């Protein structure tokens, strides 16, 4: 699938991927060996190259970044998990999805039992979730299902029930929405809902329960009026499942080896909006739409944020209420309090059981 970002023709089948790479620490490279020096220099070169691409996008700089990924991967035989994740995320940003998958397969071979960066699960869970998303967006749902099932098995072994359920919800959505196997999808969701009745509230947030109920509703009778209420818990849940499959939606919190996201704003926003437009997974698509609008909102591009939020709010999307609240805020900040009030009134009519403030 060819996509154009900043005038560069790329294959981009991803969501947001520029997040929380481990900052170089002197302690990490205390041994003055040739290998550690090459690794340090390769990391810095790739990070500087991505920063330069964000500021001055060009085909030549993109090709330079591709070469720098290979230099990092060959810097030493003993790469860490963070090194592989940095290379995979950089490849994904460049639209090199098959290369990103190949890198993730390598880290699975070498570090499958190690903990994934910034997550409580192992590499086996997170890398397979990540591969599942990339494969799905590349139009290979069966490969995606295979990877997700590997993630489910790993999560079960690690006794991580929420991570297991998240992967299973992705599986049921693929079965029902993309493979049109409603019977299998309904059976999958029924099993999840039955198990959820035995879980503690903190292990089974409302967001995931509502997502499962909406899937059941959609696959059983082709309706979809169950929505997720806005609010802080919504954001927490969104970050928990998107981070698990390699997505980051936080425009202010992530840094690339100490480079603020503001220095990568244009590139970051472009990928957000491309993903929102072309993601095969409805939840990924909606969350990246919200994140793109939030990013524009924070940059005081209220007109741009309003356009995205209006389309999402007027839809029957699971996250439409969250878009409505943000749209009202956006209109109010532009001085259009009348329209903002109208949006909140419309929300109360459409979703009388959803709290609107």
């Amino acid at each position: 699938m060819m996509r154009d970002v900043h005038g560069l023709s790329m294959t981009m089948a991803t969501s947001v991927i520029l997040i929380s790479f481990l900052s170089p620490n002197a302690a990490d490279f205390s041994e003055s060996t040739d290998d550690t020096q090459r690794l340090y220099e390769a990391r810095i070169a790739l990070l500087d190259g991505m920063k330069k691409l964000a500021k001055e996008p060009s085909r030549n700089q993109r090709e330079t970044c591709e070469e720098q990924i290979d230099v990092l991967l060959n810097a030493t035989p003993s790469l860490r998990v963070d090194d592989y994740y940095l290379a995979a995320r950089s490849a994904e940003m460049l639209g090199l999805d098959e290369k990103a998958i190949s890198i993730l397969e390598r880290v699975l071979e070498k570090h499958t039992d190690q903990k994934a960066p910034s997550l409580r699960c192992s590499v086996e869970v997170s890398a397979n979730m990540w591969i599942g998303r990339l494969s799905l967006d590349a139009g290979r749902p069966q490969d995606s299902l295979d990877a997700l099932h590997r993630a489910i098995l790993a999560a079960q072994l690690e006794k991580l029930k929420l991570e297991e359920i998240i992967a299973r919800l992705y599986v049921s959505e693929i079965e029902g929405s993309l493979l049109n196997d409603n019977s299998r999808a309904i059976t999958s969701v029924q099993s999840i809902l039955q198990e959820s009745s035995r879980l503690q509230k903190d292990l089974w947030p409302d967001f995931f329960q509502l997502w499962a109920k909406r899937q059941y509703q959609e696959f059983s009778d082709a309706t979809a009026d169950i929505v997720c209420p806005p609010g802080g818990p919504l954001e927490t849940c969104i970050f928990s499942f998107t981070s698990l499959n390699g997505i980051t939606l936080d425009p202010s919190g992530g840094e690339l080896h100490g480079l603020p996201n503001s220095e990568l704003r244009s590139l970051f926003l472009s990928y957000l909006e491309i993903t929102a437009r072309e993601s095969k997974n409805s939840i990924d698509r909606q969350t990246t739409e919200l994140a793109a609008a939030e990013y524009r909102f924070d940059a005081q591009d209220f007109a741009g944020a309003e356009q995205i939020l209006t389309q999402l709010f007027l839809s029957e999307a699971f996250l439409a209420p969250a878009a409505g609240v943000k749209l009202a805020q956006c209109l109010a900040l532009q001085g259009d309090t009348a329209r903002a009030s109208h949006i909140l009134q419309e929300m109360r009519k459409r979703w009388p059981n959803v709290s609107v403030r």
Side-chain angles (χ1 to χ4, degrees):
M1 187 183 310
M2 296 304 294
R3 316 182 187 188
D4 190 74
V5 181
H6 298 295
L8 304 178
S9 181
M10 299 185 183
T11 304
M12 176 65 192
T14 72
S15 292
V16 185
I17 30 72
L18 188 57
I19 70 172
S20 302
F21 295 131
L22 187 67
S23 298
N25 186 311
D28 295 334
F29 302 98
S30 57
E31 297 180 11
S32 57
T33 65
D34 291 341
D35 279 355
T36 54
Q37 183 64 28
R38 278 197 300 271
L39 178 57
Y40 178 82
E41 291 174 355
R43 284 177 161 187
I44 296 302
L46 175 56
L47 295 165
D48 287 346
M50 295 297 288
K51 178 181 176 181
K52 185 175 181 181
L53 179 66
K55 288 185 175 180
E56 302 174 6
S58 68
R59 186 175 300 278
N60 286 341
Q61 184 57 32
R62 180 181 184 275
E63 291 174 352
T64 297
C65 290
E66 290 181 31
E67 294 172 359
Q68 289 166 334
I69 291 172
D70 291 331
V71 171
L72 173 59
L73 290 172
N74 293 296
T76 172
S78 55
L79 293 177
R80 303 178 309 179
V81 173
D82 299 271
D83 301 319
Y84 285 109
Y85 272 49
L86 170 58
R89 288 185 172 124
S90 299
E92 190 179 5
M93 276 209 77
L94 295 173
L96 305 174
D97 301 311
E98 296 303 328
K99 187 180 188 73
I101 290 173
S102 175
I103 294 168
L104 292 168
E105 289 171 344
R106 286 175 62 179
V107 75
L108 279 166
E109 291 176 3
K110 295 180 178 295
H111 301 293
T112 188
D113 294 327
Q114 290 192 24
K115 187 176 178 181
S118 304
L119 296 171
R120 65 174 187 166
C121 62
S122 69
V123 166
E124 189 168 10
V125 175
S126 71
N128 275 308
M129 285 286 291
W130 194 348
I131 290 172
R133 176 175 58 82
L134 289 174
S135 299
L136 180 63
D137 287 351
R140 301 198 305 276
Q142 189 55 56
D143 289 346
S144 178
L145 287 173
D146 291 343
L148 289 168
H149 283 301
R150 292 193 296 270
I152 290 169
L153 290 174
Q156 289 172 340
L157 289 173
E158 295 172 40
K159 297 181 172 22
L160 298 174
K161 194 62 182 179
L162 183 57
E163 285 80 353
E164 175 198 335
I165 286 177
I166 291 171
R168 288 167 63 186
L169 284 169
Y170 272 98
V171 166
S172 57
E173 174 144 337
I174 293 171
E175 291 170 340
S177 297
L178 296 177
L179 300 182
N180 297 316
D181 191 346
N182 285 3
S183 177
R184 182 183 291 272
I186 289 170
T187 300
S188 298
V189 177
Q190 283 178 323
S191 176
I192 291 171
L193 289 170
Q194 288 171 359
E195 291 179 30
S196 73
S197 64
R198 302 190 296 271
L199 294 178
Q200 297 177 11
K201 182 74 172 179
D202 59 336
L203 296 178
W204 180 237
D206 288 342
F207 175 89
F208 299 106
Q209 187 174 50
L210 289 169
W211 182 10
K213 288 181 177 180
R214 182 179 170 100
Q215 282 190 8
Y216 181 81
Q217 181 187 51
E218 181 179 356
F219 301 145
S220 61
D221 59 20
T223 61
D225 57 15
I226 293 176
V227 293
C228 184
L234 167 64
E235 294 181 1
T236 300
C237 290
I238 286 176
F239 289 148
S240 70
F241 80 82
T242 53
S243 295
L244 184 61
N245 71 356
I247 304 173
T248 291
L249 302 176
D250 184 355
S252 59
E255 290 188 349
L256 180 65
H257 269 279
L259 304 178
N261 277 342
S262 59
E263 296 184 349
L264 301 141
R265 180 177 298 276
S266 180
L267 189 62
F268 188 77
L269 179 59
S270 294
Y271 279 102
L272 276 170
E273 295 184 337
I274 288 170
T275 299
R277 186 169 63 247
E278 301 193 19
S279 176
K280 300 295 191 302
N281 180 283
S282 65
I283 294 295
D284 288 347
R285 185 165 57 249
Q286 292 171 49
T287 53
T288 47
E289 284 175 344
L290 280 177
E294 185 79 33
Y295 215 49
R296 289 190 177 277
F297 186 94
D298 290 345
Q300 298 188 336
D301 177 10
F302 298 125
E306 179 186 340
Q307 182 178 4
I308 298 170
L309 292 167
T310 299
Q311 292 176 352
L312 186 55
F313 172 64
L314 293 176
S315 72
E316 298 299 323
F318 182 57
L319 299 180
V325 169
K326 199 67 183 181
L327 176 59
Q329 294 175 358
C330 188
L331 292 169
L333 285 173
Q334 294 178 83
D336 197 343
T337 55
R339 284 184 64 202
S341 178
H342 175 74
I343 291 294
L344 294 177
Q345 291 175 4
E346 182 68 20
M347 288 184 65
R348 294 186 182 98
K349 291 179 182 178
R350 289 177 63 185
W351 308 295
N353 296 324
V354 172
S355 176
V356 177
R357 297 180 181 178

